Amino acid sequence: MEIYTLLREFADSWMLLALFAFFVGVVVWVFRPGSSKTYRDTADIPFRHDDKPATDKEART
Protein backbone atom coordinates (compact mmCIF):
# COMPACT_ATOMS: atom_id res chain seq x y z
CA MET A 1 0.00 0.00 0.00
CA GLU A 2 1.38 3.36 -0.97
CA ILE A 3 1.78 6.09 1.62
CA TYR A 4 -0.50 8.37 -0.42
CA THR A 5 -3.29 5.81 -0.45
CA LEU A 6 -2.93 5.20 3.28
CA LEU A 7 -3.03 8.93 4.08
CA ARG A 8 -5.95 9.46 1.71
CA GLU A 9 -7.99 6.75 3.41
CA PHE A 10 -7.12 8.17 6.84
CA ALA A 11 -8.11 11.69 5.77
CA ASP A 12 -11.39 10.49 4.26
CA SER A 13 -12.46 8.62 7.36
CA TRP A 14 -10.92 9.38 10.75
CA MET A 15 -9.66 12.89 10.11
CA LEU A 16 -13.09 13.93 8.86
CA LEU A 17 -14.61 12.58 12.05
CA ALA A 18 -11.97 14.29 14.22
CA LEU A 19 -12.43 17.67 12.53
CA PHE A 20 -16.22 17.39 12.81
CA ALA A 21 -15.89 16.62 16.52
CA PHE A 22 -13.56 19.63 16.89
CA PHE A 23 -16.12 21.85 15.12
CA VAL A 24 -18.94 20.65 17.37
CA GLY A 25 -16.73 21.24 20.42
CA VAL A 26 -16.02 24.82 19.36
CA VAL A 27 -19.71 25.51 18.78
CA VAL A 28 -20.59 24.09 22.20
CA TRP A 29 -17.81 26.16 23.80
CA VAL A 30 -19.04 29.38 22.20
CA PHE A 31 -22.69 28.87 23.16
CA ARG A 32 -22.07 27.49 26.64
CA PRO A 33 -24.12 28.97 29.50
CA GLY A 34 -22.50 31.99 31.12
CA SER A 35 -20.36 32.97 28.15
CA SER A 36 -22.59 35.82 27.03
CA LYS A 37 -21.14 38.19 29.67
CA THR A 38 -17.61 37.54 28.41
CA TYR A 39 -18.61 38.17 24.81
CA ARG A 40 -20.61 41.27 25.75
CA ASP A 41 -17.58 42.74 27.54
CA THR A 42 -15.37 41.98 24.56
CA ALA A 43 -17.87 43.50 22.13
CA ASP A 44 -18.04 46.73 24.18
CA ILE A 45 -14.27 47.39 24.14
CA PRO A 46 -14.44 50.00 21.32
CA PHE A 47 -17.09 51.99 23.23
CA ARG A 48 -15.49 52.10 26.69
CA HIS A 49 -14.02 55.58 26.23
CA ASP A 50 -16.70 57.02 24.01
CA ASP A 51 -16.82 60.39 25.80
CA LYS A 52 -13.04 60.92 26.21
CA PRO A 53 -9.85 59.29 24.95
CA ALA A 54 -8.14 56.72 27.12
CA THR A 55 -5.16 57.85 29.15
CA ASP A 56 -1.78 56.12 28.84
CA LYS A 57 -2.36 54.30 32.11
CA GLU A 58 -5.74 52.93 30.96
CA ALA A 59 -4.41 51.98 27.54
CA ARG A 60 -1.73 49.71 29.04
CA THR A 61 -4.17 47.62 31.09
Side-chain angles (χ1 to χ4, degrees):
M1 181 178 272
E2 293 179 25
I3 189 75
Y4 174 79
T5 307
L6 179 67
L7 291 176
R8 177 67 193 252
E9 289 178 11
F10 177 74
D12 284 344
S13 58
W14 293 107
M15 191 54 67
L16 178 64
L17 183 63
L19 289 176
F20 180 73
F22 177 76
F23 174 77
V24 169
V26 168
V27 169
V28 168
W29 176 261
V30 168
F31 292 109
R32 72 190 188 281
S35 66
S36 61
K37 181 183 181 309
T38 303
Y39 297 133
R40 193 176 310 115
D41 289 342
T42 304
D44 289 339
I45 287 174
F47 306 112
R48 284 187 183 162
H49 302 287
D50 199 25
D51 55 344
K52 63 178 180 162
T55 62
D56 288 336
K57 181 181 176 185
E58 292 173 339
R60 288 187 210 138
T61 58

